[in-house]
Amino acid sequence: MQTRRILTDGSREREWVRRIVGGNIEAFRTLVVDYHPLAYSLAYRVLNDAEDAEEVVQDAFVKIHCALEGFRGESSLKTWILRIVLRLSLNRRRDRSRTAWRRLGLHRGGEAGDEDGELGLAAPGPDPEGLLIAKETRSRVLAAVESLSPPLREVVVLSTLEDLTYDEIARILRVPVGTVSSRLHAARRKLVDVLQREDLI
Amino acid sequence: MLLPWRRKHRDANLSRYLDGELDGSEMDEVTERLVLDDSSAERLDAYSIVSRLVDLATGPPGMPDSEAAADRVLGRLAVAPAAGAVLSFANPRYGRRRHLTPALLASLGLLLTAGVTIVGLRRRGIV
């Protein structure tokens, strides 16, 4: 899933925030349009539910609008926004009566491209990575991710977002960069072990 | 033969290499190792496959329209978007909205009551 690359620098961000705080609607709208794909992608990856993800993202941007006045620029706008989205997503996940992962298979029957039990995540063709991933495989991979402890799972989910560096992940989670590196590595080792046992790799 | 902690460190560098987080001598070391050591190359392949599988499995099947999402957010903030408009939907002073809190209302009520009481008592010559 390609998310728009948002190229910003500190001065442009500060000017952007200043305009929004000053009441410029279009500036805030632009912020939402620019960051919505990344925010939605993160929320979906945590919640595995389109409706919940969209609600959380809406809540997040409303919260962001109210909190922008307090944005100090100590981190980038991207990491600040993603931190809010992640927190709200985790809160939603915790509050649900059934976890997102357990709803797999019960909820995803109507997804587009699912007629043959295959989830077409990319059209087969010249792209060597245009793989079709079977529904069952997806379930097992998600179950493997679910088996990780929350700190490892958070890092793994964030690492799947495009263009997030270890430094950015560290800022979102408010942990040292070394912790991100070690957690991600630990998560991958565990996932490799689990998926090898399941003959998926 | 590598000590366990050293092996773990080298393995961790494979993960960082996959994510483009290595540079300089560490990058050179891993690049060389991948050429010379089949097990390292296999390990890197496994991490790469796992990363890709997790990305495919957790990623959303589609992306909602961001423009429509922005309209919904603005709708929730009770602002009508208009091209080029600069609407002040908050206090011009940096968006801070001031309103009477219940505590403030209660305090004003008490002051009013106290004032009326004092005036009444003075009229009767009590105060």
Side-chain angles (χ1 to χ4, degrees):
Chain A
M1 176 65 60
Q2 292 291 324
T3 54
R4 239 177 96 181
R5 176 171 246 158
I6 303 154
L7 297 175
T8 60
D9 59 51
S11 57
R12 184 188 165 210
E13 284 187 354
R14 283 191 291 275
E15 172 60 22
W16 202 357
V17 170
R18 193 190 63 77
R19 285 166 57 206
I20 295 171
V21 171
N24 190 317
I25 300 295
E26 278 307 307
F28 180 66
R29 194 172 193 287
T30 302
L31 180 138
V32 176
V33 170
D34 276 3
Y35 285 101
H36 178 263
L38 199 57
Y40 179 82
S41 185
L42 174 57
Y44 187 94
R45 288 168 194 273
V46 174
L47 295 166
N48 196 39
D49 182 275
E51 200 175 312
D52 280 353
E54 184 58 30
E55 277 181 26
V56 161
V57 167
Q58 292 279 311
D59 291 345
F61 278 114
V62 169
K63 202 176 194 58
I64 284 162
H65 177 264
C66 297
L68 261 175
E69 188 186 348
F71 178 72
R72 299 279 176 257
E74 289 158 358
S75 60
S76 71
L77 205 50
K78 181 166 85 171
T79 57
W80 185 71
I81 288 172
L82 289 178
R83 190 184 303 136
I84 292 172
V85 173
L86 178 64
R87 191 173 73 239
L88 291 181
S89 300
L90 292 174
N91 287 346
R92 175 68 69 99
R93 184 184 146 97
R94 189 189 58 225
D95 291 344
R96 281 195 308 211
S97 54
R98 289 180 294 163
T99 66
W101 315 117
R102 289 196 198 117
R103 288 166 66 185
L104 244 187
L106 301 176
H107 180 73
R108 297 178 65 94
E111 297 289 355
D114 195 25
E115 289 167 358
D116 300 325
E118 302 273 332
L119 286 165
L121 295 171
D127 177 9
E129 287 216 299
L131 303 170
L132 290 178
I133 181 171
K135 200 179 192 180
E136 190 193 331
T137 301
R138 195 167 190 159
S139 299
R140 288 155 76 186
V141 171
L142 284 175
V145 174
E146 175 68 4
S147 71
L148 298 173
S149 64
L152 298 190
R153 193 166 58 230
E154 285 167 18
V155 168
V156 162
V157 166
L158 284 168
S159 74
T160 61
L161 290 181
E162 288 180 43
D163 302 331
L164 276 192
T165 63
Y166 282 18
D167 183 65
E168 287 173 324
I169 295 173
R171 287 175 187 274
I172 291 168
L173 294 175
R174 289 187 165 141
V175 298
V177 173
T179 302
V180 170
S181 177
S182 60
R183 283 182 185 175
L184 188 51
H185 177 62
R188 282 176 175 156
R189 274 180 30 227
K190 288 193 174 178
L191 288 171
V192 164
D193 289 344
V194 169
L195 296 180
Q196 279 179 341
R197 277 203 302 273
E198 303 230 359
D199 292 324
L200 285 178
I201 56 172
Chain B
M1 184 175 168
L2 283 175
L3 293 169
W5 67 268
R6 183 74 181 134
R7 189 181 306 121
K8 191 176 173 184
H9 176 72
R10 289 181 67 179
D11 211 31
N13 272 356
L14 287 178
S15 208
R16 291 168 64 204
Y17 175 88
L18 180 65
D19 296 324
E21 293 281 338
L22 288 182
D23 54 20
S25 60
E26 284 185 321
M27 167 79 98
D28 293 339
E29 187 268 325
V30 171
T31 306
E32 185 182 332
R33 184 157 42 103
L34 290 172
V35 172
L36 299 173
D37 179 18
D38 287 344
S39 67
S40 290
E42 283 168 14
R43 199 77 182 150
L44 180 67
D45 283 344
Y47 291 157
S48 179
I49 291 169
V50 156
S51 294
R52 187 66 178 133
L53 279 174
V54 171
D55 183 21
L56 289 171
T58 60
M63 187 61 66
D65 178 37
S66 297
E67 299 277 350
D71 288 338
R72 285 193 293 275
V73 171
L74 289 175
R76 281 181 61 173
L77 291 167
V79 176
V86 178
L87 297 173
S88 182
F89 50 80
N91 188 304
R93 282 187 288 173
Y94 308 111
R96 187 171 293 132
R97 285 187 297 183
R98 295 173 188 262
H99 56 278
L100 293 174
T101 64
L104 187 58
L105 278 171
S107 302
L108 288 173
L110 279 172
L111 281 171
L112 185 63
T113 305
V116 166
T117 305
I118 290 171
V119 165
L121 291 172
R122 278 188 173 174
R123 279 187 181 170
R124 292 175 195 164
I126 298 173
V127 176

